[in-house]
Amino acid sequence: MRVKMAKKRGFCFGVRRAVDTVYDQVQKGGGPIYTYGPIVHNEQVVQDLEARGVRVIRDQEELERLTEGTVIIRAHGVGRSVCEKLERQGVSYVDATCPFVKKIHRIVERESGSGRHILIAGNPSHPEVEGIQGWCQGPVSVLESLEEAENFVAFPETKLCLVAQTTFNYNKFKDLVEIISKKGYDIIVLNTICGATEERQTEAKRIASEVDAMIVIGGKNSSNTQKLFEICKKECENTYYIQKPVDLDLRTASSIRSVGITAGASTPNKIIEEVQKHVRNQL
Ligand code: F3S
């Protein structure tokens, strides 16, 4: 029996950094600690933090009611107005925005400040995209589909700057750039897609094509885990989507001689190791 573990699995750099920031803050103590949204799409991590007194703030209204404590901003980042609001309320915050997302904030702030209309290739309701929009100082449009790109129009002399949500599909971004570029605007294109997602998907696809069963570990709300599952399922019919070891029972699958394991960006190492042990014990 062979177990193949993906090398690119579990927390990406930005998520690890954000989760570590919360645990560091818990250790430091001193006043209530909040995260603006769950720090990671993983129930176990959020529950563990809750047990240590960390509360999740769900929306702006809840945020506005805070009068003390420290708010940790997660890897997705937030718009400028959220930081300003906290400052006005006298609530301190620790910015754990992933540096790759922060870089996009800086780009759109600068380019919109110099008069460019910002285009973001991404999902308009994703918190990262909402945050990026919140750093624009002028017009901004979010393009999620190629059709939206086709339909995009602005005054002929408009200058554009196109960036991407860090997890946007690279091939779709290329197509989108091609469509917008043909329209003849003065345009700056910056590929701000983060390599972590693509590397993970490419490796998972390769492993899934080589094994009898594939296990994808991650929270059910994690979109990058869902995507990994879809990719693996296409390569390997016996693909299992699990959140923790107890969700998995391979004992009935007698013809399995090799198992691959990967995990979404929101899955802690501890859970991946437990699953690995569980698989070895079952087979
Ligand atoms: Fe950052 Fe890339 Fe992860 S942008 S949060 S390292 S997927």
Side-chain angles (χ1 to χ4, degrees), residues 63-96:
L63 197 74
E64 278 160 17
R65 287 200 291 271
L66 292 185
T67 51
E68 53 164 6
T70 305
V71 176
I72 296 158
I73 293 170
R74 58 187 176 169
H76 292 321
V78 291
R80 181 209 286 270
S81 64
V82 174
C83 304
E84 288 174 349
K85 194 174 280 176
L86 289 168
E87 279 161 21
R88 276 200 305 275
Q89 284 171 229
V91 176
S92 59
Y93 66 89
V94 179
D95 188 357

Side-chain angles (χ1 to χ4, degrees), residues 49-164:
L49 285 168
E50 252 167 27
R52 292 164 200 260
V54 179
R55 261 197 53 208
V56 178
I57 299 286
R58 299 279 165 189
D59 51 37
Q60 294 245 10
E61 277 172 29
E62 260 189 75
L63 197 74
E64 278 160 17
R65 287 200 291 271
L66 292 185
T67 51
E68 53 164 6
T70 305
V71 176
I72 296 158
I73 293 170
R74 58 187 176 169
H76 292 321
V78 291
R80 181 209 286 270
S81 64
V82 174
C83 304
E84 288 174 349
K85 194 174 280 176
L86 289 168
E87 279 161 21
R88 276 200 305 275
Q89 284 171 229
V91 176
S92 59
Y93 66 89
V94 179
D95 188 357
T97 305
C98 174
F100 300 131
V101 177
K102 202 73 220 158
K103 190 176 136 202
I104 308 177
H105 293 175
R106 297 279 91 93
I107 292 170
V108 298
E109 187 183 26
R110 185 186 67 228
E111 297 303 332
S112 61
S114 70
R116 287 189 184 265
H117 181 136
I118 304 296
L119 299 180
I120 307 167
N123 170 357
S125 53
H126 191 284
E128 180 192 322
V129 175
E130 289 173 357
I132 297 169
Q133 284 178 271
W135 287 90
C136 295
Q137 308 187 55
V140 50
S141 310
V142 182
L143 307 173
E144 191 173 19
S145 65
L146 300 183
E147 197 188 346
E148 282 167 359
E150 298 277 7
N151 293 337
F152 176 80
V153 272
F155 289 116
E157 68 278 12
T158 306
K159 292 182 176 179
L160 304 174
C161 170
L162 172 61
V163 295

Side-chain angles (χ1 to χ4, degrees), residues 201-216:
Q201 292 176 355
T202 310
E203 193 192 19
K205 186 176 178 197
R206 181 182 54 74
I207 294 177
S209 71
E210 296 166 356
V211 293
D212 299 324
M214 186 75 192
I215 298 162
V216 182

Side-chain angles (χ1 to χ4, degrees), residues 12 14-15 75 98 100 166 194 196-197:
C12 62
V15 169
C98 174
F100 300 131
T166 53
C194 170
T197 312

